[in-house]
C-alpha cells in the first residue's frame, strides 16, 4: 500500500486529506509542521508527501531545502499544497525539487488524483529504467 505523508499545521486540512487519501487506498501519516516532517522523513520515507509552505517552527521551503541538502527521502514525490500563488513561489518550489503545486483551497479528490498520477509516473519511469538496464 503506497504511503503519503501529509504536512500541514491545520488539523482540519490534515484530517480532510487523510480521510480522502485513505479512501483512495493510501496509508497516511501526518506531521503538524516542517520539523515533524523531517523527523517522519528520516524515520521512513513515504512514497509521496503533501506539503504546506506556511507553518510554524519550520516552513515547507525549509523542508524541501533540507531534503535536498541531506539527500533525505530522494524518491519521495512532493506535492506542495499552499495558499501562496505568486509566480516566484512556484519557481522557488520547482527549484527546490517539488513535483507538483496545488493552491488552497482544492478538492481533496483532486489532490488524491495528483498523488495517484505522480506515483504512476514514477512507476513507469522506474520500469523504463529497468528495461534500459536490461540491454
Amino acid at each position: 500500500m503506497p504511503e503519503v505523508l501529509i504536512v500541514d499545521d491545520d488539523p482540519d486540512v490534515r484530517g480532510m486529506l487523510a480521510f480522502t487519501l485513505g479512501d483512495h487506498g493510501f496509508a497516511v501519516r501526518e506531521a503538524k509542521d516542517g520539523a515533524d516532517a523531517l523527523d517522519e522523513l528520516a524515520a521512513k520515507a513515504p512514497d509521496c508527501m503533501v506539503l504546506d509552505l506556511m507553518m510554524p517552527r519550520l516552513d515547507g521551503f525549509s523542508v524541501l531545502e533540507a531534503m535536498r541538502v541531506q539527500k533525505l527521502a530522494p524518491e519521495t514525490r512532493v506535492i506542495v499544497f499552499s495558499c501562496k500563488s505568486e509566480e516566484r513561489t512556484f519557481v522557488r518550489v520547482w527549484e527546490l525539487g517539488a513535483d507538483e503545486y496545488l493552491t488552497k483551497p482544492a478538492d481533496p479528490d483532486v489532490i488524491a488524483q495528483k498523488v495517484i498520477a505522480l506515483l504512476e509516473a514514477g512507476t513507469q519511469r522506474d520500469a523504463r529504467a529497468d528495461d534500459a538496464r536490461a540491454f
Side-chain angles (χ1 to χ4, degrees):
M1 175 181 305
E3 186 175 65
V4 179
L5 175 62
I6 300 167
V7 185
D8 200 300
D9 59 323
D10 185 332
D12 293 333
V13 170
R14 288 194 317 269
M16 171 196 60
L17 291 175
F19 179 81
T20 302
L21 291 167
D23 270 359
H24 281 84
F26 293 101
V28 177
R29 292 175 14 217
E30 298 179 31
K32 68 181 181 305
D33 59 36
D36 287 345
L38 291 179
D39 291 341
E40 291 289 331
L41 291 169
K44 181 178 182 253
D47 298 291
C48 187
M49 175 171 61
V50 179
L51 177 67
D52 187 20
L53 292 178
M54 306 309 295
M55 297 178 288
R57 291 204 309 159
L58 192 66
D59 65 22
F61 297 110
S62 299
V63 170
L64 289 169
E65 281 183 37
M67 288 176 69
R68 189 154 136 204
V69 169
Q70 299 172 22
K71 296 179 177 45
L72 187 61
E75 300 298 318
T76 296
R77 308 306 299 263
V78 179
I79 297 174
V80 170
F81 183 46
S82 176
C83 61
K84 296 180 73 60
S85 60
E86 300 84 18
E87 184 177 348
R88 69 177 186 265
T89 302
F90 292 120
V91 171
R92 186 167 177 211
V93 299
W94 298 131
E95 290 172 346
L96 291 171
D99 297 291
E100 185 69 64
Y101 195 110
L102 296 171
T103 54
K104 292 179 180 178
D107 183 326
D109 287 315
V110 169
I111 296 168
Q113 292 305 315
K114 292 289 186 178
V115 170
I116 292 166
L118 276 177
L119 295 179
E120 285 177 354
T123 301
Q124 291 169 358
R125 181 189 66 225
D126 293 345
R128 286 192 303 270
D130 289 344
D131 289 345
R133 283 191 290 271
F135 290 103

